[in-house]
Amino acid sequence: MKNLFRVARWEFVTRIKSRSFLFNTFVSPFLFAAVIMLPLFIFNMQPQISTKLIGIIDLSGLHIKDELQRELNRSYRLNNRSSEYMVMTVAVGNSPTYKEMLNKYHEIRNRLDSITTVYNQIKEQRMQYYKNRRIPNRDYVLRSSYEKLQNARDEKELIQIELSRFKTALDSVYKREAQRMADSLLYTDVLNAYLVFQPDFAKTGVVEFHTKNPGDLREIDRFEKILHTIIIKKRILDDQIPRSKIQKWFRPIHIKRYQLLPQGDQEWNFYVQFYGPLIGVFLLFMAIFTAGGYVFSSVLLEKSNRVIEVLLSYVNSSQLMGGKILGLGSLGLVQIFSWIVITALLVASGLLPASKISYLNMQNALYFVIYFSLGFLFYGSIFVTIGSVSASEYDAQQINQLLRTIAIFPVLLSLLVLANPNAPLIRALCYIPFLTPSFMIMRIPLSSVPITFDIYATIILMVVSIIVMIWISGRVFRMSTLMIGKKPTAREIWSWIKIK
Amino acid sequence: MNKETNENILEVRNVIKSFKETLVLNGLSFKVQGGETFGLLGPNGAGKTTTMRMIMNILRPDSGEIYFNGTPRNKLEGVHFGYLPEERGLYPRARVIDVLVYFGTLNNMTSRKAEVEAIRYLDRLGIIEYTDARINELSKGIQQKIQFIAAFLHDPEVLILDEPFTGLDPINQTVLLEILEEYKKKNKILIISTHMMDQAEKICDHICLINQAQVVIDGPVDAIRKQFREDAYYIELEGNYPILSELDNVQILEEGKNSYKFVLKRGAISLADLLKKVEEKARIRRFEVFEPSLHDIFIRLIQEQAEEKA
Ligand SMILES: Nc1ncnc2c1ncn2[C@@H]1O[C@H](COP(=O)(O)OP(=O)(O)OP(=O)(O)O)[C@@H](O)[C@H]1O
Ligand SMILES: [Mg+2]
């Protein structure tokens, strides 16, 4: 038993001074934190200097443009207080087809105007005929003017029909030409996006939004909101409600986010809430894989330089394995305590507002230590096994890579965890020993309800898996360390596990 | 433990060991007394290293037992044993003194004592200046010396050295031999394996020759030599006198420039008379009873066994 501690001490002492350990403890975490914070930083710091140009194709004739501009100005402004969006009507005046059509339209329009004038004149005349009873031949005059009036009205109606028909045609040409124009402007990045308003958009509530990158949810979200307001305003206006009242009803709304926490409400900062646990998982991962990697390389080294033979003649294999796991596990704990101390120092110096970040507390630090220990024992014993059965560094490195990929997998699902830390899928994944520590470390700070049951259950699960793993690796380790220059087959390994 | 009684005995009894299909040792037995150097000899792949590993409890025999002073090996602690494996290796990035102290403490030494002993041996082997050096900065021979120290630093009862002399220059071989001689005087067990028969001849008191999974011969070196003695003599003269060939009761086996290896024909002449006769004609530079070398015996036995098989 004493030898177990001697081995542990040796492993601990030889590694703690190593450059890689110091790097992994004091440099990597900051590098990582910097790397994930950087985009955020850039995003926030970037001055929004450019105004975005938004095209509009208005087929409704309701002068949406001005209203849209007004609403956008009200809600979205750049840092320098000028409007973030600028709305412009897509001009089609240069299109020959449209020009021709438009001329014809104007001509019909003129015709309609003149016939209307004629019609009105006749009406006027008849009015006078009615009033002036002294007109000779009054009956005849009235009758013939009535005929004229009838004719003029017929003609007017015909022209009106023609005009409205032509208007539809013109609109569709306008729409087509305008859209072609807008597309080319969009293509050349003059426009950021353009909107198409159909004549009946207020009724149907449909507005087209054309853009090069439909994935830009933020932009779409903003326009949806604005158009919503505009359309509803229109609908209300149609019901003859005074504009001033509507203005009051539609004053913009801002949502301030708060998360319910046991200690009381706190302003919910998305980034801190999200990146904090993410950094936590990363640190956990680092600690487990730094220490686990040491276990692994230590076995591999002793196996390849045959020191293992001397060691095994003085200590038995379980002492050797236990010593390694203990020694390098303590190394991992040193790493974690250094981080806890660093965090505590940052808090004490006021750089980290612990009172605002609810998960920075002693209880979670304890969980961190517990899940590290469990994760390390689990992965450590796997590493011992891999190290002992691998014939070369190369083989071993590949398996190592695979394990890392598995262990970091929860980070990929971090958004899901953030959305709902207690979703059934996440809970289920928590019970896969390979993933347990990472998921739990993310869930504990994020969950708004206590997950005591999951904590106890996963701890028990981990302990059981660790016992199984250590038992298996002890066997494989004993048998395989003396095999020279040869990788055992899966069947051989299986037979070592089975034999007494 | 047996320092007063000095009754160290290591016994290998009927050990069988096979790796998968190949039978490496088939009923190996031998007994080593304290105070003697035991040489485990045999061609490549004979199973010498495997035997040593079993004595070190690194491998377990399939059947058969190994006893040290009557206690089965697997009930004993490693402390009583010291081992220099065939394949040498140390922690490349560690410092010499740290490695030695580590191995010492694994054998229940206090680190203070381990350090003192380590420095004593480093001094003795003339490598004291490397005490604080890193292992990977040292030459192979020096690394080997350090591994020697690691093997007997804790003053074990049984010291097992697998091919200890390969890679050492003659001076270092001599220094090492001195240390081993001293160790043996404490009535401890020393087991070495080697391919170098002249080395084995010089240092072993007792040898065991293994071939094809079996003990070919086992016994004290003197007895084995005697067993293979051909009653031949060796004589070397000053100047070239063909005197010996003139005597008809002498059969010459080998003839050198001024030397002869010969046997006396049965009942013809006494050795004293023969020498007197020779001295009348020429001065004798050297005369001795011819002993077959282990080398010769080794080759003869292995060949014989191969012929039997064929
Ligand atoms: N771990 C192992 N797995 C399978 N076979 C082995 C193993 N170790 C040794 N052997 C086989 O056992 C036989 C004896 O090996 P051993 O190393 O004991 O020979 P040796 O007498 O020391 O030879 P050498 O003089 O070459 O060192 C060899 O045929 C070898 O192939
Ligand atoms: Mg060998």
Side-chain angles (χ1 to χ4, degrees):
Chain A
M1 201 57 191
K2 266 191 199 156
N3 275 345
L4 190 148
F5 293 107
R6 288 171 182 144
V7 173
R9 185 173 172 276
W10 170 259
E11 296 287 348
F12 184 85
V13 170
T14 48
R15 294 286 174 169
I16 197 158
K17 291 177 287 187
S18 75
R19 241 170 290 160
S20 88
F21 176 74
L22 295 178
F23 184 85
N24 281 336
T25 308
F26 298 109
V27 182
S28 301
F30 290 101
L31 272 182
F32 177 76
V35 164
I36 67 166
M37 289 303 194
L38 202 62
L40 182 70
F41 206 63
I42 291 172
F43 182 76
N44 279 340
M45 291 312 279
Q46 196 175 40
Q48 297 163 306
I49 36 162
S50 58
T51 300
K52 291 174 192 154
L53 211 51
I54 304 296
I56 178 169
I57 299 176
D58 184 1
L59 304 173
S60 70
L62 291 173
H63 304 292
I64 294 299
K65 184 194 156 223
D66 298 335
E67 199 157 355
L68 185 63
Q69 183 73 68
R70 208 170 36 242
E71 289 293 333
L72 285 170
N73 287 355
R74 189 135 56 132
S75 300
Y76 307 112
R77 287 191 170 277
L78 295 178
N79 293 346
N80 57 11
R81 308 304 304 155
S82 64
S83 179
E84 187 176 345
Y85 297 96
M86 171 111 146
V87 184
M88 59 165 265
T89 308
V90 178
V92 289
N94 292 333
S95 151
T97 343
Y98 182 73
K99 246 194 237 167
E100 203 179 295
M101 290 274 287
L102 198 66
N103 282 340
K104 210 153 168 209
Y105 176 77
H106 282 311
E107 188 210 309
I108 299 172
R109 192 78 197 246
N110 287 339
R111 264 167 52 210
L112 182 65
D113 282 352
S114 59
I115 193 79
T116 312
T117 325
V118 170
Y119 177 78
N120 288 344
Q121 270 170 4
I122 296 172
K123 237 172 140 180
E124 193 88 353
Q125 236 170 16
R126 269 177 61 84
M127 219 50 153
Q128 273 167 15
Y129 292 157
Y130 267 120
K131 282 187 209 150
N132 198 342
R133 297 182 171 264
R134 282 170 304 151
I135 292 171
N137 256 341
R138 186 167 164 255
D139 278 354
Y140 171 78
V141 173
L142 267 176
R143 217 182 308 124
S144 74
S145 80
Y146 179 73
E147 259 168 45
K148 268 194 209 155
L149 186 72
Q150 202 97 3
N151 285 343
R153 189 197 286 150
D154 283 352
E155 199 176 341
K156 189 182 147 208
E157 268 171 13
L158 280 174
I159 296 176
Q160 256 170 346
I161 290 168
E162 194 185 350
L163 187 72
S164 88
R165 246 211 236 118
F166 205 82
K167 172 87 168 86
T168 323
L170 185 71
D171 278 352
S172 82
V173 170
Y174 173 76
K175 189 187 172 211
R176 200 179 66 225
E177 292 298 311
Q179 216 165 326
R180 203 161 67 198
M181 187 71 196
D183 279 340
S184 79
L185 289 175
L186 197 59
Y187 182 74
T188 52
D189 288 327
V190 175
L191 291 182
N192 280 66
Y194 69 88
L195 296 157
V196 181
F197 291 87
Q198 298 290 357
D200 55 351
F201 79 91
K203 213 164 74 200
T204 60
V206 176
V207 178
E208 295 173 25
F209 182 82
H210 296 248
T211 172
K212 253 171 148 181
N213 30 322
D216 190 349
L217 294 175
R218 197 181 70 145
E219 209 89 312
I220 290 175
D221 195 45
R222 286 178 164 189
F223 277 93
E224 207 164 47
K225 240 162 47 193
I226 296 279
L227 291 170
H228 200 77
T229 316
I230 291 175
I231 291 174
I232 290 177
K233 251 189 214 173
K234 274 254 132 55
R235 288 174 182 166
I236 296 173
L237 259 179
D238 287 350
D239 288 352
Q240 345 281 204
I241 286 163
R243 200 171 264 281
S244 60
K245 238 180 194 168
I246 300 173
Q247 214 78 9
K248 213 168 78 194
W249 291 347
F250 280 88
R251 202 171 295 144
I253 295 161
H254 290 291
I255 294 176
K256 267 186 143 179
R257 301 178 192 193
Y258 290 86
Q259 188 191 17
L260 178 68
L261 290 167
Q263 295 92 329
D265 289 6
Q266 291 183 332
E267 190 156 353
W268 198 79
N269 182 326
F270 176 82
Y271 296 108
V272 172
Q273 204 68 11
F274 177 59
Y275 284 108
L278 201 62
I279 292 176
V281 171
F282 173 76
L283 290 180
L284 184 81
F285 173 82
M286 279 257 311
I288 290 178
F289 277 79
T290 306
Y294 286 150
V295 168
F296 164 74
S297 62
S298 149
V299 172
L300 210 61
L301 175 78
E302 283 170 4
K303 202 185 165 204
S304 66
N305 66 18
R306 309 308 302 161
V307 172
I308 196 93
E309 246 181 290
V310 181
L311 289 176
L312 283 182
S313 60
Y314 299 148
V315 301
N316 64 41
S317 60
S318 38
Q319 286 173 337
L320 185 58
M321 199 179 95
K324 277 182 198 307
I325 290 181
L326 180 68
L328 297 167
S330 327
L331 197 69
L333 284 178
V334 166
Q335 195 166 42
I336 283 180
F337 283 120
S338 327
W339 292 336
I340 291 177
V341 167
I342 290 173
T343 313
L345 286 178
L346 287 178
V347 168
S349 67
L351 283 171
L352 271 183
S355 54
K356 285 210 187 137
I357 308 171
S358 60
Y359 52 74
L360 284 185
N361 57 41
M362 281 325 279
Q363 196 187 11
N364 283 352
L366 178 70
Y367 284 133
F368 202 80
V369 171
I370 290 175
Y371 280 105
F372 161 76
S373 311
L374 295 171
F376 167 76
L377 286 175
F378 183 73
Y379 276 102
S381 53
I382 292 178
F383 275 131
V384 166
T385 318
I386 296 170
S388 66
V389 299
S390 309
S392 68
E393 185 106 20
Y394 178 74
D395 295 340
Q397 223 62 53
Q398 277 181 319
I399 308 176
N400 187 0
Q401 203 57 48
L402 179 74
L403 282 178
R404 271 167 204 257
T405 316
I406 294 173
I408 201 72
F409 170 72
V411 172
L412 303 179
L413 293 184
S414 52
L415 266 174
L416 282 179
V417 181
L418 183 74
N420 183 1
N422 300 321
L425 172 72
I426 302 294
R427 283 193 63 185
L429 289 172
C430 250
Y431 284 89
I432 299 174
F434 288 92
L435 307 178
T436 304
S438 309
F439 267 128
M440 290 306 285
I441 283 304
M442 259 197 294
R443 283 183 63 198
I444 292 172
L446 285 176
S447 175
S448 49
V449 294
I451 48 171
T452 328
F453 174 80
D454 280 357
I455 292 176
Y456 287 132
T458 53
I459 288 177
I460 292 170
L461 172 79
M462 283 306 285
V463 169
V464 172
S465 331
I466 288 163
I467 292 170
V468 171
M469 266 327 292
I470 287 190
W471 183 79
I472 290 176
S473 57
R475 264 153 203 271
V476 175
F477 183 75
R478 226 208 99 57
M479 297 305 292
S480 57
T481 35
L482 286 171
M483 299 265 308
I484 302 153
K486 174 174 167 299
K487 196 163 60 169
T489 62
R491 186 183 300 182
E492 275 173 319
I493 295 176
W494 180 237
S495 72
W496 295 337
I497 295 172
K498 279 191 307 183
I499 55 167
K500 70 131 208 55
Chain B
M1 54 191 292
N2 278 303
K3 279 203 170 109
E4 287 82 41
T5 51
N6 273 343
E7 243 193 293
N8 283 336
I9 291 178
L10 182 92
E11 196 178 353
V12 171
R13 223 182 270 168
N14 229 348
V15 163
I16 295 175
K17 178 81 192 170
S18 52
F19 291 105
K20 286 199 219 102
E21 274 87 60
T22 43
L23 184 63
V24 178
L25 295 169
N26 188 8
L28 179 74
S29 303
F30 59 79
K31 204 171 181 180
V32 190
Q33 302 273 346
E36 68 178 11
T37 308
F38 182 82
L40 205 51
L41 311 180
N44 292 127
K48 305 182 290 291
T49 302
T50 306
T51 310
M52 290 181 155
R53 283 180 180 158
M54 285 190 295
I55 297 173
M56 287 313 296
N57 206 25
I58 300 169
L59 292 176
R60 305 272 151 77
D62 296 343
S63 75
E65 286 92 35
I66 296 168
Y67 293 98
F68 177 61
N69 292 337
T71 318
R73 174 60 181 97
N74 49 20
K75 300 240 160 64
L76 283 169
E77 277 190 63
V79 196
H80 307 294
F81 298 79
Y83 183 42
L84 175 76
E86 177 177 33
E87 283 176 85
R88 311 286 148 76
L90 289 164
Y91 295 102
R93 300 193 40 77
R95 292 187 317 146
V96 170
I97 188 73
D98 292 342
V99 173
L100 290 177
V101 170
Y102 176 44
F103 285 154
T105 52
L106 284 182
N107 286 306
N108 289 342
M109 294 174 89
T110 63
S111 52
R112 181 93 198 96
K113 175 118 168 58
E115 196 175 337
V116 169
E117 287 291 304
I119 288 175
R120 205 166 66 85
Y121 279 118
L122 285 170
D123 189 28
R124 184 123 187 237
L125 285 167
I127 49 175
I128 186 93
E129 68 264 37
Y130 300 115
T131 309
D132 288 316
R134 291 193 188 283
I135 304 272
N136 56 5
E137 295 162 359
L138 305 179
S139 84
K140 201 154 175 283
I142 296 171
Q143 289 188 31
Q144 189 169 337
K145 286 202 251 181
I146 288 160
Q147 235 181 328
F148 270 122
I149 300 175
F152 53 63
L153 188 67
H154 58 290
D155 199 26
E157 305 295 315
V158 180
L159 183 59
I160 295 178
L161 307 174
D162 204 346
E163 304 189 14
F165 296 103
T166 44
L168 283 189
D169 64 44
I171 296 173
N172 281 313
Q173 288 188 14
T174 319
V175 177
L176 188 69
L177 277 175
E178 269 172 35
I179 294 178
L180 294 183
E181 205 55 43
E182 206 175 277
Y183 169 84
K184 227 167 63 178
K185 285 213 189 88
K186 291 190 258 180
N187 208 26
K188 298 189 173 196
I189 290 173
L190 177 62
I191 299 177
I192 67 167
S193 84
T194 180
H195 288 122
M196 291 192 260
M197 287 305 143
D198 48 342
Q199 281 285 3
E201 196 159 5
K202 255 188 267 167
I203 56 179
C204 295
D205 308 306
H206 183 156
I207 59 162
C208 176
L209 177 62
I210 322 174
N211 189 34
Q212 296 186 344
Q214 250 140 5
V215 176
V216 179
I217 194 160
D218 173 24
V221 175
D222 295 338
I224 290 174
R225 280 235 197 81
K226 209 173 270 165
Q227 189 186 333
F228 287 87
R229 187 143 69 193
E230 303 154 286
D231 277 328
Y233 301 95
Y234 175 88
I235 194 164
E236 203 178 304
L237 305 173
E238 251 173 36
N240 188 6
Y241 301 100
I243 166 154
L244 235 36
S245 37
E246 285 160 17
L247 298 167
D248 51 353
N249 37 18
V250 169
Q251 187 193 344
I252 294 175
L253 297 175
E254 269 170 44
E255 197 173 334
K257 199 167 160 231
N258 294 329
S259 64
Y260 303 89
K261 183 180 157 191
F262 63 93
V263 285
L264 292 177
K265 283 180 183 160
R266 206 170 293 270
I269 187 172
S270 77
L271 194 58
D273 290 343
L274 177 86
L275 288 179
K276 219 176 266 166
K277 270 195 179 167
V278 175
E279 263 186 326
E280 281 164 15
K281 299 263 166 68
R283 280 190 57 187
I284 298 173
R285 191 184 278 167
R286 219 168 122 196
F287 174 81
E288 61 196 30
V289 178
F290 182 80
E291 296 274 359
S293 71
L294 275 184
H295 181 89
D296 299 331
I297 298 171
F298 181 98
I299 290 176
R300 211 175 104 191
L301 284 170
I302 304 281
Q303 275 172 352
E304 271 171 22
Q305 207 178 39
E307 276 159 25
E308 264 171 45
K309 265 263 162 79

